[in-house]
Amino acid sequence: MKGPRLLLLAAVPVVATASVYLFAPEDSGAGGAGPDLSSAYRSQAAQDAEGAQGAKAWAERSGRAGRAGSAADVAVVADLPPGLAAPAKKELAQQLVASAENSTLDWRSAYAYIEDIGDGQGYTAGIIGFCTGTNDLLTLVEGYTKAHPGNGLAKYLPALRAVDGTDSHEGLDPGFTAAWKAEARVPAFQQAQDTARDRVYFDPAVRLAKLDGLGTLGQFVYYDAMVFHGPGTDPTSFYGLRERALQKSDSPTEGGSEKAYLDTFLDLREDAMRTRDAEIDTTRVDTAQRRFLDEGNLDLRTPLEWQVYGETFRVP
């Protein structure tokens, strides 16, 4: 499912070659279409998935972040409009991410996704790219097994612990991928993936964006960066990118222009993407997020139209 895009990225022109239509959550229709191509960086978020530990480490070494989890900030965020956390906007956010990660707007189809895409992180799986080599998949299965003993993945826990931090499949083949796909049909496991996504990626990104004075689009910009770059503290991971952006440009909270700050953040993000791969396709920024920003759509209002990897997506 992911392998083909590794080969196709360099050949895909950045023009609209197809259209995908999906009704927004408020509408009655639902569905998605489009080629089932691969994202070269499906597991990028998991490469340095440190979750709360990453945020804590970043906060400890950053004067700006030191108060990010304070009671005062919790109160500030609670008093703000829901923004991207509103149910309809959160659904839209998952669709936007899935367009780049899975070439579809049907993000729920990725619960059962599992593949080794050859990035040195072992198997990549699920809606956010949990990896057997980066601890987040192990943590997910451990928590799920604690709540649901005897599930179809529980017997693989010894092997998952053994391969954590490596790209090895030892003890996982040949049955783990089939077990993952089967368990992905269980609503409780789908909920476990959702919960892990929110705890490590969505909630921290949205909270920090709100503290920086960013609207719904800016909150999505942070979230997509968290997904792609991972919640690490190095210069090409999310917390490092945010700190560098704050050093170069004032956030709205600091009296700066929201558009100017987001332009700075997106510039840094594209540079970070190219640092990891000089030939990478950056259309998830160029013809999606940057397009919304240039149009002045800071509230991420629908209808939306954007392109990723040469494919056009629309949400009415």
Side-chain angles (χ1 to χ4, degrees):
M1 188 166 143
K2 291 298 168 188
R5 179 159 289 163
L6 288 167
L7 302 176
L8 290 172
L9 276 176
V12 175
V14 187
V15 295
T17 59
S19 293
V20 176
Y21 296 86
L22 187 73
F23 287 98
E26 302 92 328
D27 299 312
S28 58
D36 187 17
L37 300 176
S38 301
S39 167
Y41 284 80
R42 181 65 175 86
S43 68
Q44 199 66 65
Q47 287 191 351
D48 56 354
E50 300 165 3
Q53 290 82 2
K56 180 180 179 182
W58 180 82
E60 287 173 347
R61 67 182 182 84
S62 168
R64 294 178 187 269
R67 57 187 287 279
S70 70
D73 283 343
V74 170
V76 167
V77 171
D79 287 340
L80 293 173
L84 200 67
K89 294 299 184 185
K90 187 173 182 179
E91 179 73 13
L92 177 61
Q94 310 317 317
Q95 293 168 350
L96 285 162
V97 168
S99 72
E101 298 287 324
N102 299 90
S103 291
T104 181
L105 296 180
D106 182 15
W107 63 270
R108 292 175 179 83
S109 66
Y111 285 122
Y113 165 71
I114 182 166
E115 184 178 6
D116 189 329
I117 63 174
D119 63 353
Q121 307 301 326
Y123 282 119
T124 298
I127 58 170
I128 213 67
F130 306 102
C131 289
T132 56
T134 58
N135 191 253
D136 56 345
L137 190 148
L138 170 61
T139 300
L140 170 66
V141 176
E142 284 180 333
Y144 178 61
T145 299
K146 184 175 181 180
H148 303 277
N151 69 79
L153 298 173
K155 66 181 180 180
Y156 292 100
L157 277 172
L160 289 171
R161 294 185 181 109
V163 303
D164 188 29
T166 77
D167 62 355
S168 174
H169 295 183
E170 186 173 356
L172 299 177
D173 292 339
F176 181 68
T177 57
W180 179 279
K181 292 175 183 177
E183 202 65 29
R185 295 194 291 267
V186 178
F189 188 52
Q190 295 175 7
Q191 181 59 53
Q193 290 192 42
D194 290 349
T195 298
R197 174 203 62 205
D198 290 351
R199 177 178 57 83
V200 179
Y201 302 100
F202 186 85
D203 291 347
V206 171
R207 180 175 62 252
L208 287 175
K210 288 181 177 181
L211 291 175
D212 288 343
L214 302 177
T216 305
L217 173 60
Q219 293 161 32
F220 175 74
V221 167
Y222 271 23
Y223 173 50
D224 189 66
M226 182 82 87
V227 169
F228 184 93
H229 295 274
T233 59
D234 63 273
T236 62
S237 294
F238 172 75
Y239 292 105
L241 284 171
R242 175 179 177 253
E243 177 62 13
R244 290 166 60 203
L246 289 168
Q247 290 171 351
K248 293 190 68 172
S249 180
D250 287 339
S251 71
T253 297
E254 298 170 315
S257 158
E258 185 170 6
K259 184 180 186 305
Y261 174 77
L262 288 174
D263 270 325
T264 297
F265 185 89
L266 292 176
D267 286 344
L268 291 169
R269 183 181 172 188
E270 288 191 71
D271 287 344
M273 293 171 75
R274 294 190 182 98
T275 296
R276 289 179 167 179
D277 180 353
E279 303 301 321
I280 194 169
D281 185 308
T282 60
T283 52
R284 71 192 293 159
V285 173
D286 298 330
T287 52
Q289 296 169 48
R290 187 87 71 177
R291 174 175 178 170
F292 305 150
L293 182 61
D294 289 344
E295 291 172 346
N297 191 356
L298 297 175
D299 294 325
L300 208 57
R301 299 180 305 276
T302 53
L304 285 180
E305 178 178 314
W306 69 98
Q307 287 81 37
V308 184
Y309 310 131
E311 185 174 1
T312 296
F313 295 88
R314 294 185 178 91
V315 173

